Structure formats: structure tokens, C-alpha cells
């Protein structure tokens, strides 16, 4: 299996690797859910790495396993019904799945933090935002109530919430959607974590606010040199912020690439389909492309390539043999750094 | 907030007038107080007429009601048939019932919420199932059964407590009656808490609290419980009124001279001034308890604002 390497041509990551160990490395992760209808295989052998200062975008439609992978990293999967039968999640070289609950709890929030999609439901409705922000300092650093509140105000200023001092005692419902998402970001930033996982941070926001929030996130990430995993289904959001992209389908990574490479020439029919279904100004009046069919039922993933029933290029081999993540090369045979495609016909897709 | 409270207090006036009038009509219209005063003997018609005149009983009912209300606002609840002032009876009985209610509510809160949280967090497991079965049994057994059985076991057979409560009714003697009084509500509190916890434990903000790396205890007490207690508080609030008036059976079993006991005696002897006086105060207690619950809502849930 492939790891995504540092992107050639982009500026060097701000601190780089720590003696060769990546900040986070997910190895052959499997997650399944035992339900009444059978075993749903949500994640089937995912591999990726994130370095300090680097942004990995995980792309995929609903049910592709992108959020479940993130929850497994965070340790907030509902277990049961969830189960991790196989795989490793290495944080600074240490397998978090082998740690005790208490060890993992200390990493959560302090070293790895998460930003959730819908800030209104993700924030506690009956506690003031100041309390919820300050709680991080009180629990992890043992600060007093008063000190914690001062820190909370500082954090709110850092994410540019106007009149932070006056609003620190307000409740989540008293803020606008964009401001609430800023509070979520502030909460994740509170203890200067090494890695932030943002699970569709802008999906619930309107387009103008989306850009503001993404810019803020990117800026803060750069300032504090954090690793960032950005989970999204929005190809537009990814292009500006991410360093590299992993495209997921039915619990597998089907393509990995540095961000601009992927847009220029996708090496997997699914990625191609995704790109073709973005509305474009120069194709005004034409029918918009859509990938036929629906994502597979995770209790009955098709044999061979999971995408084969929807793929325009599917042939017999696709229905029998599961493709591995092939190293993608130039036409002449030169390796393209960080590119992989889990398609039997990747050559035809990228060069054809 | 202040304006809201004033509005609510003003709204209480018609409710108060309506409910007391109904009680008044029921008690005075459905029996002859003068006949009751004489017990088994037939009264002399001339004497009866004189008493009727003295007690305003020869006036139309609405005039009697107005007269009664006028006296109440001057602090005069009338006189019971045995010559005792009703206000004296009230002053003797209400503190006792208040103590009993307090004991019952504390038991409900401590035991009910604890059981509810434990079973709610382990929904579908054996602890949860046994708590559910237990509460079902408790709900099904009427108070007069559980009361007499517990009184017999603890007071007579094992001789751990005094089977009846002395007139002073100190807290120490009210524990078993408090348990008996609390039992049924306790089962409801447990079930309400359980459902509420089991539902909220899947909420997004609980997941956020876990992702923040908070210890489990803090997640449960600060994040989960606070949100889950809102329906429980409503129940307890309305239950306070019910406990204060509905302690008739428990107070009878344990011979506690509280509100329920006095109302029971009053009804038995057709002692109208006592019954109406006690129930009037009960109505006020109910109304205030409801107002308190509504105000507590706003404290527990900041999304609710009264203006």
C-alpha cells in the first residue's frame, strides 16, 4: 500500500518530519459496524500520513468512510456497534489503538482536536461558549475559573469574534452560523494541538461565510504549523487549502495526489466523474454530468472494484479483481511523486 | 423576567377564584353543614335556623362565597366545628406535610436520578432491564399496600422504627413515610431520566465533549445531565403539589397529623371550613410550584427566555 509523500514543487512543510516519523500515520485501517442487517464495512484498509504543517484533504461522497476514519483517529467511534478489527493509527510513531483509555483521553483535545460540521448541535446548548472554551484549560491545564475565562476571551479574539469580552457569556444559539463555527475552531485551537481534523467544517454555512472560515482555518494552521485533515465533499473548498488529496470510495482510498495534479489529470474514473460534475461557466447550457447510480450498500460491497457498477470503463477484470493502489507514472515511466490510483486502467484514464 | 413573573401572578387570580369557587360549591352544596354539626341528633328547627343565620348559610351561595373570600383576605379562615380556628389547624398541619414532602422529594431526586442515569447509560443491558422491571412493580403496587407492608416490616416485625409518627413529626421519623410517599413518583423520575439520558447520550455535543478529552465523569455531570434534567424538573415541580395534597393515604397509615390527615378528617365529618381552607392553600401551593418550574426552565435552558 502507498503512503502519500511530500509534494514536490510545493514549499517545504514548515517543520517537516520529526526524525522521519510522520505526525500521523494510518495503516491498513478497517472499521465495521455490526448492525441487525449485517456487518457494514465502513472502512476497508485506509492508509494515509499527515505531517506537521501539511493539509490532507479527504474527499468522498456520503458513506465513503471519510468521517468514520476521522472518528477512529479521534477515538470517538461508538463502540459497539463500531469495531476496529484491523489496522494501526500511529501518532508520532505510537499506536493509539493500543493505548489505554486514559492515555487516549489526554491526547484528545490536547494533541489532536476536531472541528465538527454542525456547530449548533456540536456545542452544548445550555452552557455558555466561554464555559465551553474555558473547560479545555480547566481540565487539561488545571486553570482556575477566572483564568480560563480570560483565556476563552483570548481565543475568541484569535478567531476574530467581534466584542469577544462582551460575548463570552453568551450561549451558542445567540451567535450566527459563521460565528459559531469560529467558536468550534477556537475550541479546537485552544491547547495548540499538533493535528486538527476538520469534518466538513463549512458544509452548514452559506458560501460567503464558507470562504471566510476556510481562510481563517488555513491562516491559523500556517501560524501554528499544525497538521490538518480536511474532510469534505466540496471540491471547490479543497483546491485553495489542501496540499494533497485522498479520494475515498466505499471505505477505500481510490486515488491520492498532490492537489493541483488531481485537478489537472485525474487517474481514476471516479475522480474524473467528480470533476466533470462540477458546474462550469464555459459549459453553460449543456447538461451537467452526473455519476450514474448510487454509492454501494456497505453491507454488500460489490466484488472486485467497488466502483465497477457505476464506472463507464468497467470491464470483466473490474468485477473480479480488487485493484491495489498503483503507483502512477508518466507516460515515459517516470514516477509522479505522491500519486496513486486504485484502478486497473489508470494508465488509460490519466494518459488516454 | 420581572414582567413575566408579574404577568404570571396576575394570571393566577382568575385561576384561584375559579378553583376556590368550585371547591366552595362542592363542599357547601353537597351536604348540609348544620346537620353535620349536630352529628347523629336531629337539630331543633329554630336552633338550626339561628345557626344558619349566624353562619350566613341562609344567604344565596354566591353571597356566601363573597363573604368567605372577604374573610380569607383578612386572614380569617373561619372556625372548625370543634371551635378551633382553621388558621391554627393550618399552622399545625402544613409544616408537617412540608417536611414529609421534602423528605419524599429528596429521595426521589437522589435515588430516581441516580437509577435513571445508570440505566440510561447502559440501555438494553441487564442493569437497565432490572431497573425497568423494578420500577414497573413499584408503579403497579398501590400506596396503601406498600405503606402497610413497609410499616409492618420495619415498624413491627424488625422493630427498627416507630410504626407511627409522633405529633411533632421530626425528620428522623418521617424517613419511612417519605419513602412510601416517594415510591411511585420515584419510579416515574427513574424512567424519565433514563429515557432522557439514553436519548442525549447520542447527541452531537456529547461527542464534542468526548473529543475535547474531558473525563467521563465530567461529561456525564456537566454536559449530559444538565440537558437531560429538564423534563425531570417539570415532573418534580408538579409532583410537589401532588405530594402535598395527595399524602392522604400515607399520612393516614402513619398517623401523621398533616394536610392530608386534616382534609380526610374534614371530609369525614363534613367539616366545610376546614376542607375549604386547606384546599384553598393547596391551590396556591400548586400555582406557585408551577410558576417555580417555569422559572427553573429558564435557568436550566438558556434558550428559553421570558419577556
Amino acid at each position: 500500500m502507498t503512503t502519500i509523500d511530500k509534494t514536490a514543487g510545493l514549499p517545504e512543510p514548515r517543520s517537516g518530519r520529526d526524525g522521519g516519523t510522520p505526525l500521523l500515520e494510518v495503516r491498513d485501517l478497517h472499521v465495521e459496524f455490526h448492525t441487525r442487517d449485517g456487518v457494514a464495512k465502513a472502512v476497508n484498509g485506509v492508509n494515509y500520513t499527515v505531517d506537521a504543517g501539511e493539509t490532507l484533504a479527504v474527499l468522498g461522497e456520503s458513506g465513503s468512510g471519510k468521517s468514520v476514519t476521522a472518528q477512529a483517529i479521534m477515538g470517538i467511534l461508538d463502540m459497539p456497534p463500531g469495531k476496529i478489527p484491523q489496522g494501526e493509527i500511529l501518532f508520532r510513531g505510537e499506536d493509539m489503538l493500543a493505548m489505554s483509555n486514559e492515555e487516549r483521553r489526554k491526547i484528545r483535545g490536547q494533541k489532536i482536536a476536531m472541528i465538527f460540521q454542525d456547530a449548533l448541535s456540536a456545542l452544548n446548548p445550555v452552557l455558555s461558549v466561554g464555559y465551553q472554551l474555558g473547560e479545555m484549560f480547566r481540565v487539561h491545564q488545571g486553570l482556575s475559573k477566572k483564568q480560563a475565562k480570560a483565556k476563552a476571551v483570548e481565543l475568541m479574539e484569535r478567531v476574530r469574534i467581534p466584542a469577544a469580552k462582551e460575548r463570552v457569556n453568551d450561549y451558542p444559539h445567540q451567535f450566527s452560523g459563521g460565528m459559531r463555527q469560529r467558536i468550534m475552531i477556537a475550541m479546537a485551537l485552544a491547547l495548540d494541538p499538533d493535528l486538527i481534523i476538520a469534518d466538513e467544517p463549512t458544509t452548514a454555512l452559506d458560501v460567503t461565510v464558507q470562504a471566510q472560515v476556510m481562510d481563517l482555518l488555513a491562516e491559523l494552521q500556517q501560524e501554528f504549523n499544525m497538521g490538518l485533515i480536511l474532510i469534505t465533499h466540496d471540491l471547490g473548498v479543497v483546491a485553495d487549502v489542501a496540499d494533497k488529496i485522498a479520494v475515498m470510495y466505499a471505505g477505500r482510498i481510490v486515488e491520492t495526489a498532490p492537489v493541483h495534479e488531481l485537478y489537472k489529470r485525474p487517474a481514476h474514473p471516479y475522480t474524473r466523474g467528480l470533476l466533470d460534475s462540477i458546474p462550469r461557466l464555459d459549459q453553460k447550457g449543456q447538461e451537467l454530468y452526473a455519476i450514474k447510480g448510487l454509492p454501494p450498500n456497505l453491507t454488500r460491497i460489490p466484488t472486485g472494484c467497488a466502483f465497477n457498477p457505476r464506472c463507464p470503463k468497467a470491464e470483466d477484470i473490474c468485477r473480479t479483481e480488487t485493484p491495489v493502489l498503483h503507483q502512477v507514472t508518466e507516460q515515459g515511466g517516470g514516477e509522479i511523486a505522491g500519486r496513486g490510483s486504485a484502478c486497473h486502467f489508470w494508465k488509460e484514464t490519466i494518459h488516454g | 423576567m420581572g414582567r413575566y413573573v408579574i404577568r404570571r401572578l396576575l394570571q393566577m387570580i382568575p385561576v384561584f377564584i375559579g378553583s376556590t369557587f368550585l371547591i366552595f360549591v362542592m363542599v357547601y352544596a353537597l351536604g348540609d353543614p348544620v346537620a353535620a354539626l349536630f352529628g347523629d341528633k336531629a337539630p331543633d328547627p329554630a336552633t338550626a335556623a339561628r345557626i344558619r343565620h349566624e353562619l350566613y348559610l341562609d344567604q344565596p351561595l354566591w353571597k356566601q362565597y363573597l363573604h368567605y373570600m372577604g374573610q380569607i383576605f383578612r386572614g380569617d379562615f373561619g372556625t372548625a366545628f370543634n371551635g378551633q380556628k382553621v388558621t391554627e389547624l393550618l399552622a399545625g398541619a402544613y409544616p408537617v406535610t412540608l417536611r414529609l414532602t421534602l423528605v419524599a422529594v429528596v429521595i426521589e431526586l437522589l435515588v430516581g436520578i441516580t437509577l435513571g442515569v445508570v440505566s440510561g447509560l447502559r440501555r438494553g443491558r441487564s442493569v437497565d432491564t432490572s431497573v425497568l422491571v423494578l420500577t414497573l412493580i413499584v408503579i403497579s403496587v398501590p400506596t396503601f399496600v406498600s405503606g402497610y407492608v413497609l410499616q409492618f416490616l420495619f415498624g413491627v416485625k424488625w422493630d427498627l422504627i416507630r410504626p407511627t409518627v409522633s405529633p411533632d413529626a421530626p425528620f428522623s421519623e418521617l424517613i419511612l413515610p417519605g419513602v412510601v410517599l416517594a415510591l411511585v413518583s420515584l419510579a416515574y423520575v427513574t424512567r424519565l431520566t433514563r429515557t432522557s439520558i439514553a436519548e442525549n447520550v447520542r447527541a452531537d455535543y456529547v461527542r464534542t465533549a468526548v473529543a475535547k478529552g474531558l473525563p467521563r465523569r465530567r461529561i456525564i455531570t456537566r454536559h449530559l445531565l444538565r440537558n437531560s434534567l429538564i423534563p425531570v424538573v417539570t415532573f418534580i415541580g408538579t409532583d410537589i403539589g401532588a405530594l402535598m395534597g395527595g399524602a392522604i393515604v400515607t399520612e393516614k397509615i402513619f398517623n401523621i397529623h398533616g394536610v392530608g390527615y386534616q382534609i380526610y378528617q374534614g371530609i369525614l365529618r363534613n367539616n366545610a371550613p376546614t376542607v375549604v381552607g386547606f384546599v384553598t392553600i393547596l391551590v396556591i401551593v400548586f400555582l406557585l410550584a408551577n410558576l417555580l418550574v417555569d422559572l427553573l426552565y429558564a435557568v436550566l435552558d438558556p434558550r428559553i427566555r421570558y419577556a
Side-chain angles (χ1 to χ4, degrees):
Chain A
M1 292 274 169
T2 314
T3 25
I4 308 166
D5 287 308
K6 265 185 284 181
T7 315
L10 281 179
E12 275 291 302
R14 279 141 293 250
S15 87
R17 287 184 180 180
D18 221 14
T21 358
L23 182 64
L24 180 88
E25 184 172 6
V26 180
R27 273 192 204 157
D28 195 26
L29 184 73
H30 288 70
V31 181
E32 39 187 56
F33 292 95
H34 293 256
T35 65
R36 239 173 267 172
D37 305 327
V39 180
K41 296 191 167 158
V43 178
N44 305 299
V46 162
N47 294 276
Y48 57 62
T49 62
V50 185
D51 285 321
E54 189 179 48
T55 301
L56 164 71
V58 181
L59 212 72
E61 54 198 329
S62 315
S64 61
K66 52 196 197 311
S67 288
V68 175
T69 312
Q71 285 172 14
I73 295 170
M74 206 61 207
I76 54 173
L77 270 181
D78 282 331
M79 297 202 285
K83 218 179 133 189
I84 302 179
Q86 200 180 325
E88 285 176 322
I89 301 170
L90 305 174
F91 180 69
R92 295 193 180 287
E94 268 184 87
D95 186 8
M96 291 202 291
L97 295 179
M99 289 180 185
S100 71
N101 284 339
E102 188 59 16
E103 281 175 299
R104 287 209 78 176
R105 179 181 75 72
K106 284 186 176 147
I107 291 179
R108 278 200 289 268
Q110 216 163 189
K111 305 276 181 215
I112 307 179
M114 191 153 175
I115 298 168
F116 294 98
Q117 183 182 142
D118 181 4
L120 183 60
S121 63
L123 292 168
N124 193 326
V126 303
L127 299 173
S128 73
V129 297
Y131 181 91
Q132 295 186 60
L133 289 170
E135 208 175 19
M136 301 292 280
F137 301 102
R138 290 175 66 189
V139 169
H140 289 285
Q141 297 179 347
L143 296 194
S144 73
K145 233 178 181 165
K146 216 173 150 191
Q147 289 168 311
K149 188 142 276 178
K151 284 271 197 184
V153 174
E154 236 173 77
L155 272 176
M156 287 169 73
E157 278 165 357
R158 210 152 97 184
V159 294
R160 289 189 231 112
I161 292 173
K165 218 179 211 128
E166 288 78 50
R167 305 214 63 186
V168 68
N169 290 322
D170 282 1
Y171 293 89
H173 69 277
Q174 291 166 303
F175 289 86
S176 67
M179 288 299 147
R180 270 198 293 267
Q181 200 57 10
R182 280 164 196 261
I183 288 161
M184 276 256 74
I185 293 173
M187 194 141 62
L189 284 174
L191 303 171
D192 293 329
D194 301 328
L195 178 69
I196 286 191
I197 303 172
D199 190 354
E200 309 211 11
T202 59
T203 308
L205 304 175
D206 66 66
V207 186
T208 46
V209 184
Q210 270 183 13
Q212 285 174 22
V213 168
M214 272 329 292
D215 287 346
L216 175 74
L217 199 59
E219 193 186 307
L220 292 165
Q221 182 217 2
Q222 217 149 63
E223 191 182 333
F224 297 98
N225 193 37
M226 297 173 298
L228 176 66
I229 298 177
L230 182 66
I231 296 164
T232 181
H233 58 245
D234 187 341
L235 283 157
V237 165
V238 174
D240 306 326
V241 198
D243 296 318
K244 59 189 187 185
I245 295 188
V247 182
M248 284 188 75
Y249 188 81
R252 275 174 201 280
I253 291 182
V254 293
E255 181 167 7
T256 65
V259 64
H260 297 295
E261 281 277 321
L262 186 105
Y263 283 86
K264 241 185 288 169
R265 31 176 205 173
H268 196 284
Y270 177 60
T271 319
R272 158 134 289 160
L274 285 180
L275 291 171
D276 286 346
S277 52
I278 302 174
R280 280 165 51 172
L281 273 181
D282 57 345
Q283 286 172 353
K284 211 171 139 188
Q286 294 173 33
E287 198 181 329
L288 187 63
Y289 178 80
I291 302 173
K292 284 178 301 179
L294 292 168
N297 182 338
L298 294 176
T299 54
R300 284 185 300 274
I301 295 175
T303 51
C305 174
F307 188 57
N308 80 66
R310 304 171 74 186
C311 183
K313 294 193 174 138
E315 286 181 29
D316 285 343
I317 185 177
C318 302
R319 285 179 268 274
T320 51
E321 225 171 283
T322 310
V324 295
L325 197 67
H326 299 282
Q327 171 66 50
V328 173
T329 57
E330 292 288 2
Q331 232 149 359
E335 270 189 21
I336 310 172
R339 288 214 68 168
S341 166
C343 176
H344 295 300
F345 302 103
W346 63 266
K347 269 185 202 145
E348 290 82 341
T349 310
I350 189 170
H351 303 301
Chain B
M1 189 74 152
R3 284 186 56 184
Y4 174 78
V5 174
I6 291 169
R7 209 173 68 215
R8 281 293 300 267
L9 288 173
L10 287 177
Q11 280 170 357
M12 282 183 187
I13 294 171
V15 177
F16 179 75
I17 292 174
S19 51
T20 46
F21 184 68
L22 278 180
I23 297 155
F24 195 84
V25 170
M26 280 190 275
V27 172
Y28 279 90
L30 301 179
D32 184 359
V34 180
L37 188 62
F38 282 88
D40 295 335
K41 290 174 284 184
D44 166 41
T47 322
R50 186 172 51 80
I51 294 171
R52 267 182 227 285
H53 181 69
E54 277 173 13
L55 296 178
Y56 296 90
L57 290 173
D58 52 353
Q59 305 282 330
L61 201 62
W62 64 271
K63 268 194 180 168
Q64 290 182 32
Y65 175 71
L66 285 185
H67 179 75
Y68 181 73
M69 289 309 274
Q71 280 192 319
I72 280 185
F73 283 111
R74 271 175 270 131
D76 181 7
F77 279 76
T79 314
F81 290 167
N82 62 1
Q84 247 186 315
K85 285 249 174 228
V86 173
T87 39
E88 274 172 33
L89 286 177
L90 286 171
Y94 263 95
V96 173
T97 296
L98 206 66
R99 278 204 290 276
L100 182 63
T101 305
L102 199 69
V103 172
V105 168
V106 168
I107 292 171
E108 270 177 36
L109 286 175
L110 287 182
V111 183
I113 292 177
T114 314
L115 281 179
V117 170
V118 169
S119 60
L121 289 174
R122 291 177 180 69
R123 186 149 86 160
R125 308 229 207 120
S126 53
V127 185
D128 179 36
T129 319
S130 28
V131 167
L132 276 185
V133 170
L134 206 74
T135 53
L136 191 67
I137 293 171
V138 168
I139 290 173
S140 323
V141 175
T143 311
F144 60 82
V145 174
S146 58
Y148 280 121
V149 168
L150 290 177
Q151 184 187 39
F152 173 71
L153 289 179
F154 285 91
V156 181
K157 200 167 183 200
W158 299 328
D159 202 21
L160 293 171
I161 54 147
R162 286 178 52 158
T164 55
V165 176
S166 55
D168 293 342
F171 275 114
S172 58
E173 290 180 12
L174 288 175
I175 292 174
L176 188 68
V179 170
V180 171
L181 186 59
L183 270 180
V184 172
S185 303
L186 179 80
Y188 284 119
V189 170
T190 305
R191 287 183 161 225
L192 263 180
T193 314
R194 171 188 175 270
T195 314
S196 192
I197 289 267
E199 194 177 304
N200 283 329
V201 87
R202 290 159 202 280
D204 284 353
Y205 60 80
V206 173
R207 195 185 54 188
T208 310
V210 178
K212 280 162 87 177
L214 307 182
R216 191 176 154 77
R217 173 177 286 268
R218 192 182 176 94
I219 295 170
I220 293 170
T221 54
R222 299 290 167 88
H223 289 264
L224 186 53
L225 208 52
R226 177 88 188 268
N227 281 282
S228 305
L229 282 188
I230 296 169
V232 181
V233 165
T234 326
F235 177 77
I236 297 266
T238 47
D239 201 38
I240 286 178
L243 285 178
M244 292 200 67
I248 296 181
V249 177
T250 312
E251 292 192 355
K252 184 82 185 49
I253 294 172
F254 292 95
N255 192 38
I256 301 166
H257 291 225
V259 175
Y261 179 84
Q262 297 290 359
I263 292 180
Y264 175 73
Q265 297 291 339
I267 293 170
L268 269 191
R269 306 212 170 120
N270 213 344
N271 196 341
T274 325
V275 176
V276 177
F278 272 88
V279 176
T280 303
I281 300 288
L282 263 185
V283 168
I284 295 175
V285 169
F286 255 103
L287 290 175
L288 288 179
N290 270 324
L291 176 62
L292 204 70
V293 167
D294 284 349
L295 295 181
L296 238 134
Y297 262 160
V299 175
L300 279 176
D301 190 342
R303 285 168 296 182
I304 299 169
R305 281 276 169 268
Y306 299 121

